[in-house]
Every structure is written in C-alpha cells, then in structure tokens.
C-alpha cells in the first residue's frame, strides 16, 4: 500500500478522536508536518471523504463527510446478510451434502464470499474470494439478471467474452434470453458453463427493500446430477433462501 494512502487513512483516523478540526489540530493529533496534513486533507476533500467549512480565511475546519457513512452502511449490510446466511448454508449443506455458496456482485464481477463444502469423496470445493464473470455460472447470471435492462446492455457492450467450456454463453442475445428466463422463474441454473462437468443452481437473497443483494447457490458434480436430484436441491434451496428473506425483513412475493 502506498505511503500516501496510509497517511491519508491516518488523517481520517484522527476524526475518531475529535469530529471537527483545524489543520493545526489535525497535524498535532496525526503527528505529521502541517504541510503534509494540508495536502492530504485537500486530497480527501476532493475525493468527497472530508468536508471543509470556511468561516473566514483564518477559521477553516474539516469534518468527515456522509460518504463515509455510505461505506459503513454497505459494510454493515454485507456483514449482516453474511451472518444471517451462514447458519442456513450450513443446515442446507448438512441436508444435501453438496457445495453451498454465497455470491455478491462487486463491480462487474461475481465474488464468492461464503462457502460450505461437501464431505463426499468426489466433490466440488468452493474458494472464498474467487471471482467469475457475470455471464457464466448460475450465481453470476442470477446477479446479472437483477440489473435493469440499461445496466445489462452496458455490461454486455463492454465485457470481453471468454469461452470457458463449450456451454459458456458468449453471445449477447442468448445471454439476454437467458436473463429473461431467470427473471420469469426466479432462479438460475448452469450446466457446465463456467467449470466443466459442474451443475449449478442459485436463488436470490433479497434485503428488506426487495433489492437483490446476493445469490445463494449449490454446485454439484455432473456425475451426481439427475432431474430428480436437481428438483430436490432446488426445493431445498428455495426453502432456505425464503427463511433468509424473512430474517432480513423481506416480505415480498417470490417470483415463481
């Protein structure tokens, strides 16, 4: 991490001790030269993280902006639904003994933030922090389907498609058709689209406002797949996410 960034964070930390400060006060608490603090405060103000209040040329103070509150709310929400989802994921894993994962959208990628692995000898293993494009796999496609049409169009116009397997969707119109199917039925399925010989099924996680904030999915080896097994897992997965919705305060009607 660059030294300037570290120092900027140290300046922000000073506001945990005192909410409104002059440059002199900041320099004293941060134990940095006044010129350095002045430069860092200017950069933080430009980034929208600090607010400068100027009453006169000799009376200038700084305070944290509400943008930091937005960051805090995002982190708090993320921790909340991960904390709520984790025990439900474990319970589902115990019932079906398959890989269960929780995925969020970060930028224009899907990121796996929670996984519970199967105990079977032949099994799939999920890695927290793994990323995937939004057009390949059940959870990524589900997250993509949660965007409005303009956002989807923008994404499809700028993304570079890679053919991970013969089943990977890499044509815009086919992806749009798939997204419509997902929206209609309320869940997503992937047949070896991102990883070969892997079947994925995902349902959305909604917050109290009805906003899709994550996708909960189950992935199984192709050798264990059958339509009966697929129907069984989808039923268990649907029941699990609906329990999570209730805890998060979502009371809307399930699309299916």
């Amino acid at each position: 991490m660059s030294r300037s960034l570290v120092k900027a964070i140290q300046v922000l930390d000073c506001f945990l001790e005192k909410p409104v400060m002059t440059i002199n006060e900041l320099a004293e608490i941060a134990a940095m030269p006044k010129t350095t603090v002045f430069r860092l405060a200017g950069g933080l103000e430009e980034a929208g993280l600090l607010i400068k209040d100027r009453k006169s040329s000799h009376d200038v103070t700084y305070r944290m902006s509400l943008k930091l509150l937005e960051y805090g709310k995002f982190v708090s929400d993320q921790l909340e639904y991960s904390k709520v989802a984790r025990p439900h994921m474990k319970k589902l894993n115990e019932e079906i003994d398959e890989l269960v994962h929780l995925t969020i959208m970060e930028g224009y990628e899907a990121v796996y933030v929670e996984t519970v692995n199967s105990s079977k000898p032949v099994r799939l293993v999920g890695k927290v922090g793994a990323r995937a494009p939004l057009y390949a796999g059940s959870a990524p496609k589900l997250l993509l389907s949660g965007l409005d049409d303009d956002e989807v169009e923008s994404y499809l116009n700028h993304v570079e498609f890679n053919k991970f397997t013969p089943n990977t969707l890499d044509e815009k119109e086919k992806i749009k058709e798939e997204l419509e199917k997902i929206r209609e039925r309320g869940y997503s399925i992937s047949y070896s689209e991102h990883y070969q010989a892997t079947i994925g099924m995902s349902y959305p996680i909604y917050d109290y406002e009805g906003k899709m904030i994550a996708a909960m999915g189950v992935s199984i080896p192709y050798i264990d797949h059958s339509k009966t097994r697929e129907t069984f897992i989808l039923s268990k997965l649907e029941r699990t996410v609906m329990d999570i919705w209730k805890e998060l305060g979502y009371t809307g009607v399930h699309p299916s």
Side-chain angles (χ1 to χ4, degrees):
M1 186 182 293
S2 76
R3 291 301 304 165
S4 293
L5 179 57
V6 171
K7 289 181 178 179
I9 293 172
Q10 290 173 345
V11 168
L12 285 176
D13 286 343
C14 294
F15 288 92
L16 299 176
E17 297 186 27
K18 191 176 180 181
V20 179
M21 281 183 283
T22 64
I23 289 294
N24 287 337
E25 290 171 322
L26 267 174
E28 182 179 352
I29 295 176
M32 296 180 193
K34 181 179 175 181
T35 52
T36 300
V37 172
F38 183 79
R39 175 177 56 81
L40 293 171
L44 291 168
E45 181 194 2
E46 185 178 349
L49 299 177
L50 288 182
I51 300 293
K52 180 168 70 174
D53 296 316
R54 181 190 295 272
K55 295 179 181 177
S56 70
S57 58
H58 301 292
D59 188 2
V60 180
T61 57
Y62 291 83
R63 56 186 170 86
M64 284 185 170
S65 75
L66 290 178
K67 189 172 185 178
L68 288 162
L69 183 62
E70 294 175 19
Y71 290 148
K73 184 179 184 302
F74 177 82
V75 173
S76 176
D77 289 347
Q78 189 173 14
L79 289 173
E80 178 187 4
Y81 69 71
S82 293
K83 183 178 179 181
V84 168
R86 184 71 183 178
H88 292 282
M89 293 173 67
K90 284 186 174 182
K91 180 182 177 184
L92 177 61
N93 170 265
E94 290 168 0
E95 292 176 347
I96 64 175
D97 199 14
E98 302 286 2
L99 169 62
V100 181
H101 46 77
L102 187 70
T103 311
I104 65 168
M105 186 188 301
E106 187 173 84
Y108 275 145
E109 288 184 303
V111 183
Y112 293 83
V113 294
E114 293 278 359
T115 61
V116 185
N117 294 318
S118 167
S119 65
K120 297 189 299 186
V122 179
R123 66 187 188 275
L124 304 177
V125 177
K127 182 180 178 182
V128 172
R131 292 173 177 267
L134 296 176
Y135 59 86
S138 67
K141 288 189 304 181
L142 182 66
L143 293 170
L144 183 58
S145 76
L147 300 180
D148 63 37
D149 290 340
D150 289 340
E151 290 175 310
V152 170
E153 189 68 34
S154 176
Y155 169 74
L156 295 178
N157 285 337
H158 292 90
V159 69
E160 182 178 336
F161 296 104
N162 291 312
K163 197 78 172 174
F164 299 102
T165 75
N167 292 346
T168 303
L169 299 176
D170 60 352
E171 296 178 20
K172 290 200 300 183
E173 291 308 314
K174 288 186 177 180
I175 293 172
K176 288 181 183 179
E177 290 174 6
E178 176 69 4
L179 297 182
E180 282 306 310
K181 291 178 183 176
I182 292 171
R183 289 166 177 167
E184 288 174 7
R185 67 190 176 208
Y187 62 87
S188 174
I189 297 184
S190 165
Y191 298 103
S192 301
E193 293 176 5
H194 192 211
Y195 297 106
Q196 193 69 268
T198 301
I199 311 298
M201 295 158 263
S202 296
Y203 268 89
I205 300 295
Y206 296 116
D207 66 8
Y208 65 96
E209 295 177 319
K211 178 183 176 184
M212 188 191 301
I213 55 176
M216 179 175 288
V218 172
S219 295
I220 68 173
Y222 182 78
I223 57 172
D224 290 341
H225 177 263
S226 67
K227 280 298 179 182
T228 300
R229 181 71 172 158
E230 178 183 302
T231 301
F232 172 76
I233 290 175
L234 283 171
S235 175
K236 291 285 188 179
L237 182 56
E238 179 182 31
R239 188 177 307 167
T240 300
V241 297
M242 292 181 76
D243 287 340
I244 296 173
W245 296 349
K246 291 178 183 176
E247 286 198 45
L248 293 177
Y250 176 62
T251 58
V253 178
H254 179 38
S256 66

